[in-house]
Amino acid sequence: QVHLVESGGGLVKPGGSLRLSCAASGFTFSDHYMSWIRQAPGKGLEWLSDITGSGTSISYAESVKGRFTMSRDNAKNSLHLQMNSLRVEDTAVYFCARASIAVSGMFDSWGQGTLVTVSS
Amino acid sequence: DIQMTQSPASLSVSVGDRVTITCQASQDISNYLNWFQQKPGKAPKLLIYDASTLETGVPSRFSGRGSGTDFTLTISSLQPEDIATYYCEQYDHLPWTFGQGTKLEIK
C-alpha cells in the first residue's frame, strides 16, 4: 500500500528557509516521478515541481523557480523540498504526490500534507 | 500556461441528484485530464485519469467525458460521501495546472 508522509512544516519569518521531506513506502520509489503541490488556505491546488525517478531532471513552476529546490534520495525512499527566500504568499499546505511511472502530472497518491506558515 | 476553468464554482445538491461539473482548457489538451475529489482537511484523491478512465476502487457512479478543450465529470446519483470539492487538472503541458474547484454542498 502506497504511503507518503510529509514533515518539516512550521512557522517561519519572511525571507527565511525551510526544508520539507516526504517519506515514501509501499512501492518502488525510484520508478516514479514525484511532485510537490501546495494549497493556500481556502484556495485551490498549485503544482510546484516534479522530479524524474532517477532524479536527473527537475521542473519548477515559475512562482518558485530560483527559490525552491527539489531533490530525492532513492536509497532512503525520500523526497525533499528546500524552500528559501520564503514569502507570506508561500503560506500553504504542501503535499507530496506520486505520479505514474510513465506520466508525470498524473498524481495517483498523495501524502496528508504539511503546513507552512510564513509570517512575521 | 494552460488555464483550466471549472464551472460552477459551487453547487447545492441533494442525495440522488445527477451532478455534472464542467472543465474547459484554454487550449487543446487531448485527453490529458484528471479529476480529483478533496474532502475538508484531506489530500485530494484521484477519481478519473485520461479524461474518462476510472481509477481503481472509485465507484461507477463517477464518469468522465471529453477531449480537446471541453470536459465533464458526472456523478450519476449523488451519495452523502460525495460531498467534497472537485478539481480538474491538465497534464498535457508543463506547468501542470488545476481548475479552481467546484464545491458541492447539501441543499
Side-chain angles (χ1 to χ4, degrees):
Chain A
Q1 183 176 350
V2 177
H3 202 44
L4 300 170
V5 180
E6 301 92 339
S7 60
L11 176 63
V12 61
K13 289 182 167 52
S17 298
L18 214 52
R19 179 176 166 87
L20 305 184
S21 296
C22 173
S25 60
F27 64 102
T28 304
F29 183 66
S30 59
D31 280 352
H32 289 260
Y33 285 89
M34 297 293 296
S35 278
W36 288 99
I37 296 159
R38 70 183 177 187
Q39 187 169 38
K43 302 297 184 182
L45 299 163
E46 180 188 14
W47 171 83
L48 300 179
S49 64
D50 68 17
I51 188 168
T52 56
S54 64
T56 54
S57 180
I58 306 171
S59 300
Y60 295 97
E62 283 299 321
S63 59
V64 303
K65 195 176 290 185
R67 301 189 299 125
F68 291 11
T69 303
M70 185 177 188
S71 62
R72 66 190 298 162
D73 183 340
N74 287 343
K76 295 183 178 179
N77 287 354
S78 62
L79 188 70
H80 304 283
L81 186 68
Q82 177 67 42
M83 304 188 296
N84 298 332
S85 303
L86 282 162
R87 306 166 179 166
V88 170
E89 55 265 34
D90 294 319
T91 295
V93 174
Y94 286 70
F95 297 99
C96 68
R98 185 185 84 162
S100 71
I101 290 176
V103 181
S104 177
M106 201 186 87
F107 310 116
D108 60 7
S109 296
W110 298 60
Q112 85 288 351
T114 188
L115 177 63
V116 172
T117 303
V118 185
S119 174
S120 54
Chain B
D1 297 2
I2 297 175
Q3 306 303 316
M4 305 301 292
T5 304
Q6 279 183 242
S7 61
S10 63
L11 196 53
S12 291
V13 296
S14 300
V15 173
D17 281 354
R18 181 180 180 85
V19 175
T20 298
I21 298 167
T22 66
C23 179
Q24 186 170 59
S26 60
Q27 65 187 70
D28 189 335
I29 59 169
S30 184
N31 67 331
Y32 297 113
L33 184 103
N34 294 323
W35 287 100
F36 296 91
Q37 176 193 67
Q38 186 179 32
K39 297 181 179 180
K42 301 293 188 183
K45 173 188 173 184
L46 179 65
L47 297 177
I48 288 170
Y49 61 94
D50 292 346
S52 60
T53 304
L54 211 60
E55 174 74 334
T56 303
V58 173
S60 59
R61 62 181 179 273
F62 291 92
S63 64
R65 296 189 64 180
S67 67
T69 60
D70 295 303
F71 302 87
T72 58
L73 171 70
T74 299
I75 308 172
S76 60
S77 179
L78 188 89
Q79 299 302 299
E81 60 267 30
D82 301 335
I83 295 302
T85 300
Y86 292 83
Y87 294 93
C88 61
E89 178 240 344
Q90 68 80 22
Y91 56 104
D92 187 39
H93 285 105
L94 278 168
W96 318 131
T97 47
F98 293 84
Q100 79 278 18
T102 296
K103 185 175 182 179
L104 300 188
E105 298 167 318
I106 287 290
K107 199 177 293 184

